[in-house]
Amino acid sequence: MKEILANINKAFENRIRLGIMSALSVHEKMDFITLRELLDVTDGNLASHLRALEETGYISMEKRFIERKPNTSYSITLQGTESFRNHIKALEELLKNQ
Amino acid sequence: MEQPGQYLEDIKVIKKIMEESSRFLSLSGLSGISAGLFAIAGAIAAKIIIPESIVNGQGYAESIVTSAEGARIIRLLVLDAAIVLVLALISAVFFSYRKARKLGHNIWTPVTRRMLLNLIIPLLTGGLFVIITMGRIPGWATASATLIFYGLALVNAGKFTFGEIYWLGVIEIVTGMLSLMLPGYTLLFWAFGFGILHIIYGLYMYIKYKG
């Protein structure tokens, strides 16, 4: 039980972060606006969670210009993929052990 | 620490977000039912347009293509099919928009665009095929081709929407192939493929996904 709990990642406890990781794990990249609409959150809220995940190295950000408009897109890192996979596995284990 | 119930809820959220972000889930069963009804009306109109004398005759292809009367019939049939297609598309958009609003989904997302692009490529190819070969191939071949191209379009778009769309596409392709093999029954196969199948599919989806 202890080992399983060790894999439960505090970084993904928040629903918005969980949503960001879920979306990015099935898409190569996603831009800010698409994420905001998908998760139905405010700009500031989303931005702060994205920044937190970026700081832990789970996601990476890319800024570029599309038709002279700034566009920010995010993608999951290798480290993020692995941590998220372990997190899901741990969640499933915990449910099985209940 | 999180409560046990929380874990289950977390898993559910993960699944929901993964699915919602990669599949177009606003397609309504009602779109299928109305498309099917339009198709049956179109098939009945076609039955009236096509003179009884050439429906069963073996000289079907030649007689319809060469005469001036034949050209008029072909134009009417193409117009009939085009009206069915437009009405079916309008109802699909209308009911999907309504369902998306009810579910609180955004309808115009990158997934929607990808789904439509994958649908449109085979569909447009089929449309061009029909226009280019018009009057040069027998009517039964044209009608069968519309079923086949439509089926291919659904198989292609199925990756970005409900899995059932993929299977509907497979059945449409099979129907089109059978229609190619049995030219005397074209209109029946066409009414089955675009009419009956859509209605069955629509009812099934409406009940299964509640909308």
Side-chain angles (χ1 to χ4, degrees):
Chain A
M1 194 71 185
K2 266 236 170 76
E3 294 147 44
I4 302 172
L5 281 175
N7 274 324
I8 288 287
N9 201 324
K10 284 268 181 251
F12 307 138
E13 254 175 25
N14 176 284
R15 277 291 150 73
I16 296 168
R17 288 185 206 177
L18 198 70
I20 295 169
M21 294 304 285
S22 307
L24 293 182
S25 62
V26 287
H27 292 273
E28 209 179 320
K29 60 167 73 159
M30 250 184 173
D31 62 25
F32 188 87
I33 294 162
T34 309
L35 273 170
R36 188 186 63 197
E37 282 169 4
L38 179 71
L39 302 171
D40 199 17
V41 285
T42 61
D43 275 6
N45 207 352
L46 180 62
S48 76
H49 288 296
L50 283 168
R51 203 177 313 119
L53 286 172
E54 205 191 330
E55 276 162 12
T56 50
Y58 292 149
I59 64 172
S60 62
M61 179 187 69
E62 189 196 342
K63 270 187 199 276
R64 43 182 196 146
F65 285 86
I66 296 176
E67 286 162 15
R68 275 182 240 150
K69 276 192 219 137
N71 174 287
T72 316
S73 65
Y74 297 86
S75 49
I76 196 163
T77 61
L78 222 60
Q79 191 196 348
T81 308
E82 203 163 303
S83 308
F84 192 56
R85 200 188 302 135
N86 288 335
H87 180 72
I88 294 178
K89 244 191 258 165
L91 285 177
E92 284 170 343
E93 288 289 322
L94 281 173
L95 286 172
K96 249 188 275 167
N97 288 344
Q98 269 175 39
Chain B
M1 208 188 94
E2 291 188 51
Q3 295 302 306
Q6 191 95 18
Y7 300 136
L8 185 62
E9 209 43 49
D10 278 3
I11 293 272
K12 278 188 190 154
V13 168
I14 294 169
K15 260 186 79 174
K16 182 172 160 277
I17 296 284
M18 283 180 175
E19 223 170 68
E20 251 174 48
S21 69
S22 44
R23 282 171 188 270
F24 176 76
L25 301 175
S26 305
L27 194 63
S28 164
L30 295 177
S31 315
I33 298 172
S34 62
L37 293 175
F38 286 131
I40 286 178
I44 292 170
K47 181 99 176 83
I48 297 166
I49 294 167
I50 303 169
E52 199 62 44
S53 58
I54 57 168
V55 172
N56 300 313
Q58 273 303 310
Y60 184 88
E62 290 79 356
S63 67
I64 202 167
V65 172
T66 47
S67 67
E69 170 67 3
R72 194 186 67 92
I73 292 171
I74 291 173
R75 271 202 303 275
L76 276 177
L77 288 176
V78 170
L79 184 70
D80 179 26
I83 291 172
V84 169
L85 179 67
V86 169
L87 288 178
L89 285 176
I90 290 173
S91 69
V93 171
F94 172 76
F95 287 119
S96 297
Y97 183 74
R98 222 179 59 153
K99 186 174 173 184
R101 273 230 323 231
K102 211 158 71 184
L103 293 174
H105 286 172
N106 191 336
I107 197 162
W108 195 241
T109 66
V111 190
T112 311
R113 288 190 279 274
R114 212 172 309 150
M115 191 271 292
L116 285 177
L117 185 70
N118 276 271
L119 183 80
I120 281 168
I121 292 171
L123 213 54
L124 216 57
T125 311
L128 288 174
F129 174 87
V130 168
I131 292 168
I132 292 168
T133 59
M134 201 196 293
R136 292 193 288 164
I137 62 167
W140 54 264
T142 304
S144 309
T146 59
L147 281 166
I148 294 169
F149 279 110
Y150 178 61
L152 290 171
L154 292 186
V155 166
N156 214 29
K159 286 168 275 186
F160 304 104
T161 178
F162 295 105
E164 284 86 350
I165 284 284
Y166 172 90
W167 289 108
L168 179 64
V170 170
I171 303 172
E172 297 283 1
I173 294 170
V174 173
T175 308
M177 292 309 236
L178 288 174
S179 169
L180 269 184
M181 287 186 260
L182 301 162
Y185 301 94
T186 312
L187 202 52
L188 278 181
F189 277 118
W190 200 89
F192 174 77
F194 286 114
I196 310 286
L197 277 182
H198 275 142
I199 294 173
I200 294 173
Y201 164 83
L203 282 174
Y204 174 78
M205 297 300 277
Y206 190 77
I207 294 164
K208 183 169 174 188
Y209 296 101
K210 300 180 182 67

